[in-house]
Amino acid sequence: MNYGEIKTCDIANGEGIRVSLFVSGCTHHCKNCFNAETWNFDYGKPFTKDAENTIFKNLALDYVDGLSLLGGEPFEPSNQQALLPFLKRVKELYPNKTIWCYTGYLFDEELLKESRARCEYTDEMLSLIDVLVDGEFKQELYDISLSFRGSSNQRIIDVKKSLEQESVILFNLF
C-alpha cells in the first residue's frame, strides 16, 4: 500500500488532535474530490515500517486523541490487507486512543454486505474502528457548516454501538 501524506497534528478529520494517514488508491472518483491525486494506487510513498513508526511516535503524545484514516480509500480491499495489521498494533499500543476512518462505502449497504469493498479483512478492520464517516462526497450536497464531513449524505457512525445493535447508530459529536 502507498500513502500520500501523514499529518501529525490534524484537527479537521475527527474529534480532538489526531494523527491522520492518507492512503493511496480509490475507485470512487467523486466529483470535486479534495484529494483526487490519491485515486492512483501508486501515488505517494510505500507504507513502510518507518512510516508506521512515525505514526506510533506521534500517537504516543499525551495531547493526541487518536488516528484518522483517509484517502484515497481505506476500504479498498488491497488497502484493508495492509491496514489491518497496522490497526491491530495501534489498538495494542494505544488502547485509549480512538480510530476514525473515512470511506466512500456505505457501512450498512457495502461494508456489512456483499460488495466490491467487502473482503476477508473487512469485519476485523471494522471491529478496530471507533468512528466511521461513510458515503461518497457529493458536490451537490456540499455544506461547509458540517462537522467532520463534506456533504450532507455522509454519516458519522459509532461503529462499536452499530455492530452491537446491528443497526446504524450515529456518533454523538461533542
Side-chain angles (χ1 to χ4, degrees):
M1 179 184 81
N2 280 8
Y3 72 98
E5 184 177 9
I6 295 170
K7 288 188 177 182
T8 58
C9 191
D10 187 358
I11 60 169
N13 295 303
E15 284 189 319
I17 298 172
R18 315 194 63 75
V19 176
S20 292
L21 171 64
F22 292 79
V23 303
S24 295
C26 182
T27 57
H28 296 293
H29 298 186
C30 301
K31 181 182 176 189
N32 293 329
C33 172
F34 82 103
N35 212 6
E37 61 273 5
T38 64
W39 294 353
N40 182 338
F41 285 83
D42 295 323
Y43 175 77
K45 305 174 206 164
F47 189 61
T48 62
K49 292 293 179 197
D50 285 343
E52 287 186 19
N53 289 335
T54 295
I55 293 170
F56 294 146
K57 182 181 89 176
N58 284 281
L59 284 172
L61 300 169
D62 289 340
Y63 62 83
V64 172
D65 295 288
L67 172 70
S68 291
L69 301 173
L70 304 95
E73 173 58 69
F75 275 97
E76 293 292 353
S78 60
N79 288 342
Q80 289 184 57
Q81 181 179 13
L83 286 170
L84 181 58
F86 167 68
L87 293 179
K88 286 179 177 179
R89 188 83 173 121
V90 170
K91 280 296 188 184
E92 181 183 302
L93 293 171
Y94 307 105
N96 297 321
K97 307 271 181 171
T98 59
I99 297 175
W100 281 52
C101 182
Y102 287 74
T103 181
Y105 294 107
L106 295 174
F107 174 72
D108 47 340
E109 295 299 318
E110 295 173 293
L111 296 180
L112 295 179
K113 295 179 181 174
E114 289 305 311
S115 74
R116 65 187 168 104
R118 189 159 171 76
C119 65
E120 65 267 29
Y121 310 106
T122 307
D123 290 339
E124 192 171 5
M125 190 161 142
L126 283 170
S127 76
L128 298 167
I129 293 169
D130 298 290
V131 178
L132 185 76
V133 181
D134 82 338
E136 291 185 5
F137 171 75
K138 297 195 181 286
Q139 181 63 52
E140 64 275 12
L141 299 175
Y142 173 71
D143 183 347
I144 196 167
S145 71
L146 297 170
S147 295
F148 307 125
R149 55 199 174 124
S151 56
S152 60
N153 63 299
Q154 295 173 311
R155 304 176 294 181
I156 303 174
I157 298 171
D158 184 320
V159 177
K160 305 284 188 227
K161 287 182 182 176
S162 296
L163 291 173
E164 285 172 10
Q165 297 183 25
E166 298 181 0
S167 177
V168 174
I169 307 297
L170 297 181
F171 181 73
N172 212 358
L173 285 173
F174 313 104

